[in-house]
Amino acid sequence: MKYDGGCLCGQTRYTVIGDPIRVLYCHCNDCKKQTSAPYSVVASYAKEQITFQSSNFLKKYHSVGDSGSPVKRSFCGQCGSPIFSEIEAAPDVIIVKAGTFDDASWLKPSMEIYTKDKLKCAQIDPSIDSFPGPRPR
Ligand SMILES: [Zn+2]
Ligand SMILES: [Zn+2]
């Protein structure tokens, strides 16, 4: 599988190759603030699965999640689209904001995390695994 994606303005473009490690819904409050959406859908990949055709405008914002672990959130500095996150606990992994795929119709999240912060308007699929905080390791 090979999927292209990018930001709203087109200055950030990437391609991922192969299946994601995992696709999940994140209900954390930091994702809400960053995206303005009631939850994020994210797809994690090994870093070698992603290549950037264009990333000159990428900026990083370092936040500290309520688990206490730092999160580096990368976004397009020209249009503001959140593109991916990196977490210290998994340095070889890149967590792509799945709404930036040109075609996101294939996404099938397998779990929800941070359901302690889940909004009433964000009730999803009760049959998938859900965790009140981060995904247990
Ligand atoms: Zn952009
Ligand atoms: Zn989140």
Side-chain angles (χ1 to χ4, degrees):
M1 283 309 193
K2 175 174 171 291
Y3 292 105
D4 298 316
C7 65
L8 180 60
C9 77
Q11 288 290 346
T12 307
R13 295 292 304 165
Y14 66 81
T15 300
V16 291
I17 293 175
D19 292 326
I21 299 165
R22 168 174 311 107
V23 179
L24 55 79
Y25 299 99
C26 185
H27 296 278
C28 85
N29 287 328
D30 286 359
C31 280
K32 291 192 195 82
K33 287 284 190 190
Q34 191 194 18
T35 63
S36 97
Y39 57 85
S40 276
V41 179
V42 295
S44 57
Y45 291 89
K47 280 188 176 162
E48 62 260 25
Q49 288 178 271
I50 190 165
T51 52
F52 286 88
Q53 290 79 43
S54 170
S55 59
N56 292 340
F57 286 85
L58 267 188
K59 291 195 157 148
K60 284 188 200 298
Y61 177 72
H62 295 235
S63 60
V64 177
D66 65 3
S67 65
S69 50
V71 181
K72 282 188 277 181
R73 292 172 179 270
S74 292
F75 60 97
C76 176
Q78 177 155 283
C79 70
S81 296
I83 308 293
F84 65 88
S85 299
E86 297 158 280
I87 57 174
E88 203 170 77
D92 300 329
V93 171
I94 188 162
I95 303 165
V96 176
K97 292 292 188 193
T100 62
F101 285 116
D102 296 342
D103 172 11
S105 62
W106 56 275
L107 291 165
K108 198 171 183 303
S110 62
M111 68 177 72
E112 297 178 88
I113 62 171
Y114 285 98
T115 54
K116 70 184 177 58
D117 298 324
K118 180 153 80 167
L119 299 181
K120 282 204 195 81
C121 68
Q123 302 304 317
I124 302 173
D125 177 354
S127 72
I128 64 173
D129 288 343
S130 80
F131 301 99
R135 186 179 66 83
R137 289 179 188 282

